[in-house]
Amino acid sequence: MPTLAFVGAAFLAAITGHPALAQDRSIVVASTTSTQDSGLFDHILPLFEKESGITVKVVAQGTGQALETARRGDADVVFVHAKAQEEQFLADGFGVERFDVMYNDFVLIGPKSDPAGIAGTEDIAAALQAIAAAKAPFVSRGDKSGTHSAELRLWKDAGIDIETAKGDWYREIGQGMGAALNTAGAMEAYVLADRGTWLSFTDGGDLDVLVEGDKRLFNQYGVMLVSAEKHPHVKTELGQAFVDWLISDEGQAAIADYKIGGQQLFFPNAAESRS
């Protein structure tokens, strides 16, 4: 028996005379590995797709790569977490408008043995200074992601030129958050992670959250529709529907409802940015 979705598409095709148009209700969202690896999309996309009939394909990359994907016109929407890069994307004319969606925070993960002696501090700069002084193993994503950008900013805040200071103790892997956590676990190393991915990480092993709570660890996510003026093939109407849903009361509630072990991973704040 045909599914209702198929019947609906067939009916629309019959009355419009354009089968491809009737059936192509899908968009590409370039987003971060943290939104994918944390399991957030697995939670919210079925809700959006059921309501809208729009299928979402996620291309999960570091924020820098996701923005480049959107610049090339290979995505309809970009959903990332590096505000300065997002604002440049807008300034260059590749995005229509940026909206805050949600936030969480970064945490400094490390081995429970804690060779740099940083556990319990809320001063991320002091913690990074101690790691560098001890030349304790540190894993960097090294992939121009939002998390990597935040890490570089934090080294700078700590007064450390990481390009000069790094040595064998500092390992850049050029991969996503899940791979970075796995590498840190294998090396008994420190690593900066977004809390969402950390909470969804099932094999923490000897790793634990050692530094949290510094206001400099705040992690804001934003969403933008890709400009059809730059890329006329962008599915503006469908992409805008996804943006509108994310910042709607329903979308924000879906984000807030996503929890692991009773802990909320992301905190919606679209309404705050519009007030």
Side-chain angles (χ1 to χ4, degrees):
M1 179 177 177
T3 65
L4 290 177
F6 177 83
V7 172
F11 175 74
L12 187 56
I15 63 174
T16 62
H18 296 285
L21 179 64
Q23 295 173 10
D24 187 17
R25 289 184 59 79
S26 65
I27 58 171
V28 175
V29 175
S31 192
T32 74
T33 59
S34 60
T35 48
Q36 179 83 343
D37 291 349
S38 66
L40 177 69
F41 280 136
D42 290 336
H43 175 72
I44 67 172
L45 290 186
L47 301 174
F48 170 71
E49 292 174 354
K50 181 178 180 181
E51 177 180 317
S52 67
I54 300 169
T55 301
V56 179
K57 176 184 177 182
V58 176
V59 178
Q61 304 169 299
T63 285
Q65 293 172 308
L67 287 167
E68 282 305 310
T69 294
R71 281 178 181 270
R72 293 194 305 269
D74 292 334
D76 303 293
V77 174
V78 61
F79 183 11
V80 290
H81 65 141
K83 193 168 183 179
Q85 293 181 50
E86 295 165 49
E87 290 176 340
Q88 188 62 55
F89 181 85
L90 282 177
D92 292 342
F94 287 96
V96 176
E97 186 176 1
R98 181 192 174 279
F99 298 93
D100 285 342
V101 177
M102 62 191 188
Y103 70 91
N104 61 8
D105 61 345
F106 294 109
V107 288
L108 189 60
I109 306 297
K112 294 173 183 176
S113 59
D114 189 21
I118 61 172
T121 180
E122 292 184 2
D123 186 336
I124 186 62
L128 291 175
Q129 289 165 357
I131 291 170
K135 291 184 169 47
F138 186 96
V139 173
S140 170
R141 284 180 55 171
D143 61 352
K144 298 182 180 179
S145 62
T147 304
H148 182 219
S149 296
E151 180 219 314
L152 296 179
R153 169 178 54 80
L154 292 169
W155 283 116
K156 186 176 181 180
D157 288 349
I160 295 171
D161 181 351
I162 194 61
E163 286 301 314
T164 301
K166 68 184 180 182
D168 292 341
W169 61 277
Y170 184 84
R171 181 171 178 183
E172 297 171 278
I173 65 169
Q175 297 183 62
M177 195 69 257
L181 286 167
N182 281 323
T183 303
M187 293 179 58
E188 296 189 358
Y190 297 95
V191 62
L192 185 72
D194 69 281
R195 190 182 295 272
T197 306
W198 167 250
L199 288 175
S200 65
F201 192 60
T202 57
D203 188 21
D206 194 45
L207 298 177
D208 206 352
V209 175
L210 300 184
V211 179
E212 59 185 329
D214 191 314
K215 64 181 181 180
R216 289 170 289 193
L217 295 172
F218 181 78
N219 181 28
Q220 178 70 52
Y221 289 78
V223 68
M224 295 175 284
L225 179 70
V226 177
S227 173
E229 291 187 7
K230 289 284 188 181
H231 299 292
H233 63 273
V234 166
K235 297 174 184 173
T236 300
E237 183 179 348
L238 302 183
Q240 188 64 54
F242 180 60
V243 172
D244 290 345
W245 185 83
L246 278 178
I247 63 177
S248 71
D249 290 346
E250 184 178 357
Q252 294 280 280
I255 291 168
D257 286 344
Y258 181 52
K259 298 176 182 179
I260 292 179
Q263 295 191 66
Q264 186 172 332
L265 275 70
F266 299 94
F267 298 83
N269 65 343
E272 295 173 26
S273 66
R274 298 196 301 269
S275 60

